[in-house]
Amino acid sequence: MLASLRASVLSLARDKALLVWTLAFPIIMTLIFMGMFSGIQDAYTTVGSTLGVVRDKNYSAAMGLDETIQAISDPTSSDHICNVTYYESAADAEAAANATEVDAYLTVDAEGAPQLHVTNASLSENGTLPTSVLAEILDTYQHTRAAAEKVAATRPELLATGEAIGAFTESAVQTVRLTATKNPPSPDARYYYALLAMAAGMGATAAMVSVRRLLPTAGPLGARQALAAVPRWRMLVGALLGAWLCEFACLLVAALFMWGVAGVSFGNDASGVVVALAASSLMACAAGTLCGTVTRMETSMISGITCLLSLFTGLYGTASQQLADTIETSVPALAHANPLWQTTNSFYALLYYDTPDAFLESVAALLIMTLVFLALASFRLRRTSYDHL
Amino acid sequence: MTTFRTYLKIFLSHRVYIAIYLVMLSLVGVVIGLSAYSGNTGEFQVAPANVAVIDRDGSELSAALAQHVLQGNNQVQVADEKRAIQDAVARDQVSYLLVIPEGWGEGLLDAARQGTQAPDLETYVSYYSSMGRLLDIEVTGYADGLYGMASTLGGSAEDVIDATDAAWEGSTQVSMIEQAASPLPTSIVTAAEFASYPIFSSAMVCIAVLMSSVGRRPVRDRRLASPEPGRVRNLALFGACVAIALIAWAWNFGLEVAVLGGSALANSPVQLALVGAALLVYALVSASIGFLAGQLGVSENAANALANILGMVMSFLGGAWTGLSLLPDELLAVAHFTPAYWVTLVVEGAAGMGEVSTATVLPLVGNLGICALFGVAAVLVGLALGRDSVTGQRDSIAG
Amino acid sequence: MASNEAVVRIRNLVKRYGELVAVDHLSLDIAPGEVFGLLGPNGSGKTTTINCILQLLSYDHGEIELFGQPMRPTSYQLKRRIGVVPQEVAVFDELTVRENVDSFCALYVRDRARRRELVDAAIDFVGLQKFEDFRPKKLSGGLLRRLNIACGIAHRPELIIMDEPTVAVDPQSRESILSGIERLNAEGTTVIYTSHYMEEVERLCSRIMIMDHGRSVASGTADELKGMIGTGEKVSVEVGEMDEATLERVRSLPHVRSAEVDAGMLRVQCASGAHNLADVLGVLAENGLSYGRVLSEPPTLNDVFLEITGRALRDEA
């Protein structure tokens, strides 16, 4: 068993495929992610846009509108939402918008109701959110004005003292932002975890290659080893352990790299991370063993399957994350059956939850999958060996 | 011609690569496109947020506030337990979770009467915090309304709510600026940008595998000993590379147009054609990089890894997956050196094109030209290496 | 082209890999209709010579002419007349047997209808009709070798170069390959044949050249080669017991080079002489020894080969 473990470790360490997939691949992608996500935190927090304002007589007549606009365009204020350019006429503003100088422009109609005009280009580039924020601010302005008018109609004396408006605009109600999770939610952690899961999945090729080498059906090398005076299962277990050790080591280095170089947060429980990596790589090796017993399986198929499963961990950008979330909320069983999802989730649980149950659930799921894969593999192995003899 | 056919047969016999990189990944792209938010073009719709409200107060005022904030947004049920709140926020299941503390309604009315600050509302926001900011404006705006009504007009909680709701009717009109051309739907733009991954990886892996099969030593020698001129052999290989690129392109783009492009075909054919041209150029560039890998004598396993990793890196750097606007400046500078960046520029440029004219289309064609240069460079390097390796191998040790 | 003009003519061919001289001033002529055997230990320069003939390798010095014309990498008209069966199986794993033969034949023959006939004939020739639609991975070693041959001969070349075509095949496949080569030769095809199997070379080749260290060390017909070496016949006699004195007397016979008794058999190596067997038996009779079976073998090509190239192991650095 030790001999086949050694052979498996040596040949995997010398064959570059495993190193490429489970070490070089996550490290390269981490470097890319590092660059990308240096901007993503801002992107998720900023709502900024450029707004054109048509300063005609309707605009000037609209009570309090200019103050509102100035408040949100003051670059020193925490309420800063947009940069404003003023135009004399709607035609000027529209020309500016078409020349993509501003994302949107504001006009006021004869009744004093503000109207927002948005360009398609700004929507396809920045999404609808900045526009929504502008619209919401204008809504609040309109509603507050309507409320003030209502108050003025009932108690005109309050209008004179300014109380009618002041009561609505002194920000008497505030929100406080609380943190529910152990660590603050981070948009990029999800990418890194999905990346680790993908690397783990790709590592299944290592076990597949190691195990296949031992099968008499796989050619002269396999036949020679099948003739050895050692029980088959011991050689297989040795090969599996060897592949697992290699993959585990690679993933550990990759995770260390993410943590040390890219500053990815894994929570405070280092031992938990090690356990999660060990369980994920074990699951992948078991899956690889099962694949090894299928003669038609090729390494490229494993990478293909892993690519597909990674879609549901949200690796491929925001759209794939939305898809993954939708599946998780509507058909949770389907999401949970994805071994890569369990891997991702185990890291998640470590980062966010203050109780270990979610983490333990994911690790347990990974171990159960391991057992299922191994059981299927041993069933198939028994059959192939009889077939062969 | 027969050599070309032989190459195609070899390409077609590698069904696994075709199935995974071409068929499966392109389907992933279409699924992503389908799931991408796509408002009715020409009309502005606020993207609804996932919002949850935990009302610990249970007063009339808190119910009114909850109702107001849920209006127009997707309500998510979250239990008032720590783990449930953690789950909801960490996974971005809710973008905004509002907790109305016990006694809030009563406290607000008291504060309004005395002219002091009302009790605070508690919120939890996922990392998508700009959405949280939007909802903060909505919540505080309405709560300020309740406070203002209570402090000016006074009356019962019911009166305050009625007065506030009356004032809070109607919203700002948001209209899209009329443009001469209709924009492309988000779904097809998203799918087209994602397609850079399957197109690159399928074209590259298929060509590299084909070339490694054709270039195996004994087969190569046998062919070199035949009267087939080198020019014919190279031409056939070139033809096969182009054919593979065309297949990768036609499959991906065809699938996208068929599934997602119905309306675009009718409303914005020029923009769609530009997207198609961008993907076509990218497919050809990918093929030339595959050709380069083949000339470098990359093995099948290495080709598989390279196709996957390079494909992903390029798509990412090109901004295909998260949008160019999110890339930081330094990375954007690096991205200029990838063909995917120029393709994404064309796709995004075509997507939001205000009007179709030479002035708007020509710059995009120029970007395509830059992208094509990457392919030309790869082919030239590949050819130079190929010449080297032929003479080199002619002199390598033989038995 | 005159029919007596050499099909292959090599003069002073030199091919160096740095310090190593792989082919050292080699000259040879092969006449039309010959089956020319190229023998030599591993690394003696056979394959290098063939690759030089085919212009797969550049060489440092020398002239190579095929069919009376100088051979160049772009001599497509000459290449068209040559067929190659390389040492390693050189076929596309992705194509079927038929597609393989067709795709290689297509490098020589454009016309599709003509090619179909040729491909059919080649597949018949090697007996792979039943396996036409198989991929190479599904073929056994012998079938694969036969496919390798079919791909080289389908276009009916005038000169076929076969580099160890029978490595690792069973006796049946070997027999079919050898008789195939004989048939091709009978139709007028010139063949260059390399092999490590002496009996094949002896059976097929009208002329043989033994190479070592890149040089031609002997050439001629099989009989001429056997005549070149000192070893004559090998005499074996079943003697039972034999005393040392008698053995010494046998050893002192004029043409005997060595004699020993091993498990009741007296084995005598003789130089070529007129009546070696009678001499040995005479000694036995004089000493009153009775004997059983008597065997006299002429020298084999194998003896020639080992005598000329030495018995030291090769391929050792």
Side-chain angles (χ1 to χ4, degrees):
Chain A
M1 192 152 94
L2 271 179
S4 56
L5 187 147
R6 206 177 102 90
S8 145
V9 169
L10 277 182
S11 58
L12 285 175
R14 285 176 193 164
D15 172 26
K16 281 156 211 78
L18 175 79
L19 291 179
V20 165
W21 281 124
T22 54
L23 193 59
F25 168 68
I27 286 181
I28 292 172
M29 292 307 283
T30 299
L31 288 172
I32 300 278
F33 283 175
M34 268 170 73
M36 287 188 43
F37 298 145
S38 56
I40 205 168
Q41 197 74 49
D42 291 344
Y44 278 122
T45 48
T46 55
V47 289
S49 55
T50 50
L51 178 68
V53 173
V54 179
R55 194 156 48 180
D56 55 9
K57 59 178 182 350
N58 287 346
Y59 175 78
S60 309
M63 181 179 65
L65 182 56
D66 195 47
E67 288 80 352
T68 308
I69 296 296
Q70 288 196 358
I72 59 169
S73 63
D74 176 6
T76 58
S77 153
S78 63
D79 290 332
H80 177 76
I81 277 167
C82 60
N83 295 323
V84 169
T85 316
Y86 291 98
Y87 297 94
E88 294 307 317
S89 70
D92 288 353
E94 188 173 345
N98 277 329
T100 65
E101 285 163 19
V102 291
D103 296 325
Y105 69 90
L106 174 73
T107 55
V108 180
D109 67 9
E111 272 91 62
Q115 284 181 1
L116 205 52
H117 308 264
V118 199
T119 64
N120 272 308
S122 84
L123 291 184
S124 59
E125 195 184 327
N126 306 317
T128 54
L129 198 64
T131 310
S132 300
V133 170
L134 281 179
E136 189 59 46
I137 284 169
L138 292 172
D139 278 354
T140 307
Y141 157 76
Q142 262 187 296
H143 297 154
T144 309
R145 202 183 64 180
E149 279 165 4
K150 192 175 166 68
V151 171
T154 327
R155 295 179 61 187
E157 74 280 11
L158 290 177
L159 194 61
T161 59
E163 273 177 67
I165 293 176
F168 292 97
T169 56
E170 64 192 12
S171 301
V173 188
Q174 304 266 337
T175 55
V176 286
R177 199 162 284 184
L178 304 179
T179 316
T181 48
K182 208 160 79 173
N183 296 285
S186 138
D188 49 358
R190 184 163 191 180
Y191 286 94
Y192 287 108
Y193 296 165
L195 178 61
L196 267 182
M198 188 186 204
M202 292 290 190
T205 46
M208 178 172 121
V209 170
S210 297
V211 166
R212 187 161 282 176
R213 257 198 286 262
L214 294 174
L215 297 186
T217 39
L221 185 60
R224 171 177 266 175
Q225 305 209 54
L227 292 174
V230 178
R232 270 272 293 291
W233 67 266
R234 273 169 63 180
M235 296 172 63
L236 285 169
V237 170
L240 180 64
L241 281 179
W244 177 54
L245 274 181
C246 290
E247 191 188 335
F248 179 45
C250 288
L251 286 179
L252 205 57
V253 173
L256 270 175
F257 183 86
M258 286 180 180
W259 172 76
V261 178
V264 178
S265 173
F266 283 96
N268 316 320
D269 185 5
S271 60
V273 176
V274 174
V275 169
L277 287 173
S280 310
S281 46
L282 189 62
M283 178 281 300
C285 285
T289 306
L290 178 58
C291 293
T293 63
V294 183
T295 340
R296 295 189 62 87
M297 202 75 183
E298 291 173 34
T299 45
S300 56
M301 292 192 205
I302 292 195
S303 47
I305 293 171
T306 309
C307 284
L308 181 63
L309 291 181
S310 290
L311 170 66
F312 306 107
T313 60
L315 181 63
Y316 306 133
T318 32
S320 92
Q321 294 181 352
Q322 282 163 19
L323 178 69
D325 292 339
T326 314
I327 291 176
E328 202 195 319
T329 33
S330 49
V331 204
L334 201 61
H336 297 179
N338 178 354
L340 299 191
W341 184 91
Q342 295 289 0
T343 299
T344 315
N345 194 54
S346 62
F347 295 123
Y348 243 88
L350 281 177
L351 182 63
Y352 291 133
Y353 303 138
D354 41 15
T355 51
D357 44 340
F359 169 71
L360 293 177
E361 273 166 30
S362 270
V363 170
L366 285 170
L367 292 179
I368 290 170
M369 286 174 183
T370 305
L371 289 178
V372 170
F373 290 145
L374 284 181
L376 286 174
S378 70
F379 173 72
R380 285 198 53 94
L381 276 175
R382 199 159 299 166
R383 240 183 42 185
T384 48
S385 62
Y386 284 129
D387 274 357
H388 199 69
L389 300 171
Chain B
M1 199 57 198
T2 31
T3 307
F4 173 72
R5 266 206 302 275
T6 302
Y7 287 170
L8 275 196
K9 272 184 205 156
I10 292 174
F11 158 66
L12 289 175
S13 74
H14 288 281
R15 292 195 202 96
V16 176
Y17 289 114
I18 298 175
I20 288 173
Y21 287 110
L22 191 55
V23 178
M24 195 198 78
L25 280 182
S26 61
L27 288 176
V28 166
V30 170
V31 168
I32 285 181
L34 280 174
S35 70
Y37 164 75
S38 187
N40 241 346
T41 48
E43 198 181 307
F44 179 79
Q45 285 179 325
V46 176
N50 294 332
V51 176
V53 179
I54 294 178
D55 186 358
R56 291 178 187 156
D57 186 27
S59 66
E60 283 170 88
L61 286 179
S62 69
L65 178 63
Q67 198 199 346
H68 177 78
V69 70
L70 291 173
Q71 199 174 26
N73 289 313
N74 302 328
Q75 180 177 11
V76 179
Q77 292 294 347
V78 175
D80 190 5
E81 292 161 10
K82 187 160 191 193
R83 170 72 191 276
I85 295 175
Q86 284 180 333
D87 251 339
V89 174
R91 287 184 193 291
D92 195 29
Q93 283 166 352
V94 299
S95 302
Y96 191 81
L97 193 151
L98 175 68
V99 179
I100 306 174
E102 213 180 321
W104 180 78
E106 207 50 49
L108 180 116
L109 291 178
D110 286 347
R113 279 191 283 273
Q114 291 156 24
T116 54
Q117 278 295 105
D120 287 340
L121 292 163
E122 294 167 5
T123 61
Y124 297 95
V125 173
S126 83
Y127 52 77
Y128 203 40
S129 58
S130 48
M131 195 61 105
R133 191 150 171 202
L134 171 66
L135 284 149
D136 251 358
I137 297 172
E138 234 178 291
V139 167
T140 50
Y142 185 76
D144 278 338
L146 292 174
Y147 179 92
M149 286 302 180
S151 74
T152 49
L153 298 184
S156 68
E158 208 172 318
D159 297 337
V160 169
I161 293 166
D162 284 346
T164 312
D165 281 350
W168 249 250
E169 260 167 23
S171 61
T172 310
Q173 198 190 341
V174 182
S175 59
M176 307 293 295
I177 296 172
E178 281 279 326
Q179 42 179 49
S182 358
L184 291 174
T186 321
S187 54
I188 196 163
V189 174
T190 311
E193 288 180 349
F194 183 85
S196 62
Y197 178 36
I199 286 181
F200 181 88
S201 48
S202 62
M204 179 178 166
V205 81
C206 288
I207 287 169
V209 167
L210 166 69
M211 286 177 71
S212 98
S213 164
V214 173
R216 266 190 313 125
R217 190 63 198 266
V219 176
R220 206 183 60 97
D221 281 358
R222 181 168 238 166
R223 291 156 47 89
L224 283 177
S226 80
E228 183 192 41
R231 192 175 38 82
V232 172
R233 204 164 34 238
N234 292 338
L235 215 63
L237 183 61
F238 180 74
C241 290
V242 171
I244 290 174
L246 286 179
I247 292 171
W249 169 78
W251 170 269
N252 273 282
F253 188 58
L255 195 69
E256 280 155 17
V257 171
V259 180
L260 311 162
S263 65
L265 209 53
N267 301 330
S268 23
V270 177
Q271 292 94 315
L272 195 63
L274 272 171
V275 171
L279 292 183
L280 177 61
V281 170
Y282 193 66
L284 291 171
V285 171
S286 311
S288 15
I289 294 174
F291 174 77
L292 176 60
Q295 289 288 67
L296 286 169
V298 167
S299 76
E300 184 172 335
N301 261 337
N304 183 24
L306 269 179
N308 221 324
I309 294 176
L310 267 185
M312 251 190 223
V313 167
M314 295 249 274
S315 292
F316 252 109
L317 271 183
W321 291 356
T322 46
L324 283 175
S325 59
L326 296 193
L327 288 185
D329 292 344
E330 305 82 45
L331 215 57
L332 210 54
V334 177
H336 281 71
F337 296 99
T338 67
Y341 169 79
W342 302 96
V343 167
T344 310
L345 274 192
V346 176
V347 172
E348 289 193 346
M353 191 177 272
E355 58 173 335
V356 178
S357 67
T358 22
T360 52
V361 172
L362 267 187
L364 300 185
V365 174
N367 290 341
L368 280 185
I370 295 174
C371 182
L373 286 180
F374 285 95
V376 173
V379 168
L380 289 180
V381 174
L383 285 178
L385 284 173
R387 193 160 305 148
D388 260 17
S389 73
V390 166
T391 41
Q393 275 181 339
R394 275 184 58 177
D395 285 343
S396 66
I397 296 260
Chain C
M1 184 187 72
S3 65
N4 57 356
E5 198 172 350
V7 173
V8 180
R9 204 179 105 99
I10 298 179
R11 287 292 172 271
N12 278 320
L13 180 67
V14 179
K15 169 69 188 171
R16 289 194 193 89
Y17 294 115
E19 291 291 290
L20 177 78
V21 184
V23 180
D24 190 1
H25 292 91
L26 184 83
S27 297
L28 67 83
D29 289 278
I30 300 172
E34 270 196 296
V35 178
F36 186 85
L38 205 50
L39 291 184
N42 290 340
S44 60
K46 302 183 299 286
T47 304
T48 305
T49 305
I50 287 177
N51 284 342
C52 288
I53 295 176
L54 294 172
Q55 303 292 315
L56 294 175
L57 289 173
S58 59
Y59 41 91
D60 301 278
H61 182 72
E63 289 158 31
I64 296 175
E65 282 182 14
L66 296 183
F67 304 104
Q69 294 168 39
M71 180 69 174
R72 302 262 176 276
T74 50
S75 306
Y76 300 124
Q77 282 315 314
L78 292 179
K79 286 183 173 180
R80 200 173 291 282
R81 297 160 74 177
I82 310 173
V84 189
V85 178
Q87 197 170 340
E88 283 172 75
V89 175
V91 296
F92 293 114
D93 288 338
E94 295 90 347
L95 304 184
T96 63
V97 164
R98 191 181 181 85
E99 287 169 340
N100 261 302
V101 178
D102 185 65
S103 77
F104 286 110
C105 188
L107 302 176
Y108 298 82
V109 182
R110 287 270 181 87
D111 180 58
R112 293 183 87 177
R114 164 98 182 112
R115 205 162 69 225
R116 192 170 307 129
E117 286 168 27
L118 289 173
V119 171
D120 281 337
I123 290 176
D124 282 353
F125 187 86
V126 295
L128 283 176
Q129 300 93 322
K130 278 193 274 177
F131 303 97
E132 274 194 4
D133 297 325
F134 281 50
R135 296 255 179 107
K137 286 226 164 110
K138 301 260 172 196
L139 298 181
S140 70
L143 296 177
L144 212 50
R145 287 276 156 192
R146 277 146 73 180
L147 170 61
N148 197 30
I149 293 172
C151 291
I153 60 158
H155 59 288
R156 301 263 167 91
E158 294 165 51
L159 168 66
I160 298 180
I161 300 178
M162 295 185 146
D163 198 356
E164 302 190 27
T166 57
V167 169
V169 300
D170 62 21
Q172 285 79 4
S173 283
R174 178 190 305 264
E175 181 53 37
S176 125
I177 290 171
L178 294 182
S179 62
I181 295 170
E182 284 169 341
R183 267 183 289 148
L184 285 170
N185 182 239
E187 289 165 15
T189 313
T190 310
V191 179
I192 300 179
Y193 191 89
T194 82
S195 176
H196 286 303
Y197 299 108
M198 300 300 161
E199 69 284 2
E200 285 181 4
V201 175
E202 201 165 352
R203 166 176 163 186
L204 288 175
C205 298
S206 49
R207 230 148 46 82
I208 298 162
M209 184 166 99
I210 297 180
M211 285 184 76
D212 201 9
H213 304 295
R215 281 188 298 266
S216 160
V217 289
S219 70
T221 63
D223 287 338
E224 283 168 358
L225 288 176
K226 287 174 195 171
M228 281 178 204
I229 58 168
T231 310
E233 60 201 314
K234 274 188 283 185
V235 176
S236 308
V237 187
E238 199 173 47
V239 289
E241 288 293 302
M242 189 169 176
D243 59 282
E244 194 57 33
T246 319
L247 189 58
E248 263 322 301
R249 291 200 54 195
V250 173
R251 281 183 182 144
S252 62
L253 283 169
H255 291 288
V256 170
R257 303 175 74 190
S258 69
E260 54 198 41
V261 179
D262 173 30
M265 287 295 281
L266 169 68
R267 296 184 197 278
V268 185
Q269 283 274 4
C270 303
S272 41
H275 28 66
N276 291 329
L277 180 60
D279 289 351
V280 172
L281 293 182
V283 172
L284 296 181
E286 280 167 32
N287 289 272
L289 279 172
S290 61
Y291 48 84
R293 285 186 297 132
V294 176
L295 216 63
S296 168
E297 297 166 285
T300 61
L301 202 51
N302 205 38
D303 298 322
V304 175
F305 186 81
L306 290 176
E307 172 113 7
I308 289 179
T309 59
R311 287 175 189 269
L313 287 173
R314 297 304 176 96
D315 281 351
E316 285 179 6

